[in-house]
Amino acid sequence: MKMTVVLLISVVHLLLAFSSSPCATAEQVVLDAVGNVVETGSKYYIVSAFYGAGGGGISRADDSECPTKVIQSPFYEDRGTPVYFTRKASKKVEITESTDLNIEFYKDNQTHCSKNVWLVEGYPGLHYKMDISTDGVAGELLQLASWFQIKKANSFSYKLSFCPLSFGGLGCMDIGTELGNDGQRRLAVRGQRTFNFVLLKDIDHDIGIKSVV
């Protein structure tokens, strides 16, 4: 019940923030679920924008000692594992739409695995889906498969895109979910099911990371 109230309030706040924001610019800031600007150095839960059947938040699979699969929880009450964002070659704190970002799971006491940076497996895959894993390297400018963008999906939610060689937004591929053979909802480029989300800030701790340079 608590999660239901949080999500409903969050959607209302985000709708109000979007409707009151100025016209889109080349660097439109990304807003969290209560309308605050998303920043580097803070942790966020990536949670489905659709309550109930939309499933829960994003986390790593719990299927090995050092799991690397990035999945969506099937349970809407589950916020998943918090992540933080790092901008490419920028000292700005604010996260903006269509800006290249590293996405990294926050390290906690639940795992000793050092693999936390998101990566598109199998890139370049021209005609098939490419799963998201945590085999990436933070701040590696030449590792194209480790950089992602956040784009507005509609008036109250966002989507993730993979834009390795895009110019002005051309060539971007949306990231959705794909049901694997093991029954888990894996995040994947060209996934069969769209994944629109909101960002819930984890207010317990800030991590103090601003940018890769």
Side-chain angles (χ1 to χ4, degrees), residues 180-200:
N181 295 330
D182 56 2
Q184 298 188 93
R185 298 182 185 182
R186 290 206 64 176
L187 249 62
V189 176
R190 304 192 191 97
Q192 290 182 340
R193 185 174 181 176
T194 58
F195 180 67
N196 294 352
F197 64 88
V198 295
L199 294 167
L200 301 178

Side-chain angles (χ1 to χ4, degrees), residues 150-172:
I150 298 176
K151 296 179 181 293
K152 189 176 293 184
N154 51 43
S155 61
F156 64 89
S157 67
Y158 293 98
K159 63 182 179 179
L160 287 172
S161 293
F162 178 54
C163 310
L165 298 172
S166 69
F167 298 92
L170 298 176
C172 290

Side-chain angles (χ1 to χ4, degrees), residues 118-123 132 136 142-148 162 164:
W118 290 22
L119 173 82
V120 176
E121 292 183 346
Y123 171 75
I132 308 300
L142 298 180
Q143 189 178 68
L144 299 180
S146 287
W147 297 97
F148 302 87
F162 178 54

Side-chain angles (χ1 to χ4, degrees), residues 1-8 51 76-77:
M1 182 64 182
K2 182 178 180 180
M3 184 63 173
T4 305
V5 174
V6 169
L7 286 177
L8 289 175
Y51 175 75
Y76 63 85
E77 305 96 336

Side-chain angles (χ1 to χ4, degrees), residues 31-182:
L31 303 176
D32 68 14
V34 296
N36 294 323
V37 176
V38 174
E39 298 180 337
T40 59
S42 295
K43 299 182 295 180
Y44 297 88
Y45 295 96
I46 302 176
V47 179
S48 172
F50 301 102
Y51 175 75
I58 300 301
S59 64
R60 67 170 79 240
D62 185 17
D63 58 359
S64 66
E65 183 177 349
C66 187
T68 62
K69 296 177 183 177
V70 179
I71 65 169
Q72 181 197 9
S73 171
F75 306 109
Y76 63 85
E77 305 96 336
D78 183 5
R79 294 186 179 186
T81 303
V83 303
Y84 57 92
F85 305 103
T86 306
R87 292 181 57 133
K88 179 193 286 187
S90 174
K91 295 182 180 180
K92 293 183 178 180
V93 174
E94 299 83 3
I95 300 298
T96 55
E97 295 178 33
S98 301
T99 296
D100 289 327
L101 304 167
N102 278 151
I103 304 175
E104 187 168 355
F105 281 125
Y106 178 71
K107 298 177 182 178
D108 54 32
N109 295 327
Q110 298 178 0
T111 176
H112 298 290
C113 185
S114 61
K115 295 183 177 182
N116 296 290
V117 181
W118 290 22
L119 173 82
V120 176
E121 292 183 346
Y123 171 75
L126 299 180
H127 303 294
Y128 54 89
K129 73 177 182 70
M130 296 174 284
D131 292 329
I132 308 300
S133 74
T134 57
D135 283 320
V137 179
E140 180 54 64
L141 300 180
L142 298 180
Q143 189 178 68
L144 299 180
S146 287
W147 297 97
F148 302 87
Q149 294 184 12
I150 298 176
K151 296 179 181 293
K152 189 176 293 184
N154 51 43
S155 61
F156 64 89
S157 67
Y158 293 98
K159 63 182 179 179
L160 287 172
S161 293
F162 178 54
C163 310
L165 298 172
S166 69
F167 298 92
L170 298 176
C172 290
M173 296 169 280
D174 288 345
I175 295 173
T177 60
E178 185 94 4
L179 193 63
N181 295 330
D182 56 2

